[in-house]
Amino acid sequence: MTARLAILASGRGSNLQAILDAITAGTLDAQVIGVFSDRPEAQALQRVPEALRWARTPKTCGGRDAFDAALGDAVAASAPDWIVCAGYMRILSPGFVQRFAGRLLNIHPSLLPRHKGLHTHQRALEAGDAEHGASVHFVTAELDGGPVIAQARVPVLPGDDADALAARVLAVEHPLLLQVLRLAAAGRLAERDGRVYIDAQPVFTPRPLESAPA
Ligand code: GRF
């Protein structure tokens, strides 16, 4: 059965585009049934037909709680199997997280638990990390703290600045997210009691990025 994906995005939407391209190429058995944004001007919205776009701001909704409730209602109304935060830059309320627990995924540009939050590339450089990367994890109420499903690593190279490092990480983000979404779409991925399961087997160490073509 084709998986129904709701995508939450605040910005550029290159991860969303990777999802759309994989669906078109027939390498991901899924359908994007809505793109939801807290920024009406987000480029991500332009990547799908108008009928699939939802955008509000906390201001137009009358506050943060009202915004999250409206977002939750809109997401629920689209009847998604999975909700994917792909560059969604707003912290989700505990109520929202609870409502979609077990099927809410996020891609974060660091090797979690290192560098939760913002400016991960700059922070990896400042920390002198030899390696950096991206993680896909289940979302819990703790920011970037949910159980990690899979990770992709890249080297930090001499002369890197934050932009160069971000570009190297982004190149592995797209295949990493697709790898996890293929598992999700095939019904092979689950979370229970803070633990990831793949094919009903507990995952104690995040899966590495597979080298199979995206
Ligand atoms: C990505 O680096 C993602 O990991 C982070 O925000 C960025 C979004 O990029 N959360 P895009 O909007 O998918 O191009």
Side-chain angles (χ1 to χ4, degrees), residues 10-159:
S10 301
R12 177 177 55 185
S14 71
N15 278 286
L16 166 62
Q17 191 62 53
I19 293 169
L20 294 168
D21 291 348
I23 292 171
T24 303
T27 58
L28 174 64
D29 184 11
Q31 186 188 355
V32 172
I33 44 88
V35 174
F36 302 81
S37 187
D38 59 328
R39 296 201 187 135
E41 71 284 6
Q43 196 191 336
L45 291 163
Q46 304 301 322
R47 298 180 187 270
V48 292
E50 207 172 340
L52 299 187
R53 300 176 197 160
W54 183 97
R56 305 269 192 287
T57 64
K59 210 170 165 185
T60 56
C61 287
R64 301 185 58 151
D65 291 349
F67 172 82
D68 256 25
L71 173 66
D73 288 347
V75 168
S78 72
D81 296 310
W82 294 90
I83 300 97
V84 185
C85 299
Y88 186 67
M89 302 309 285
R90 176 167 294 280
I91 294 174
L92 293 164
S93 65
F96 186 99
V97 171
Q98 182 62 38
R99 190 168 179 180
F100 300 104
R103 56 196 177 115
L104 188 51
L105 303 172
N106 182 45
I107 180 150
H108 180 77
S110 81
L111 295 172
L112 290 171
R114 284 185 78 70
H115 309 308
K116 297 175 181 178
L118 297 174
H119 311 303
T120 57
H121 309 301
Q122 187 60 38
R123 285 158 60 206
L125 290 172
E126 283 165 11
D129 294 355
E131 268 191 331
H132 189 41
S135 305
V136 179
H137 64 95
F138 280 100
V139 176
T140 61
E142 188 200 337
L143 178 67
D144 299 327
V148 178
I149 303 158
Q151 286 181 324
R153 293 168 184 276
V154 299
V156 177
L157 300 178

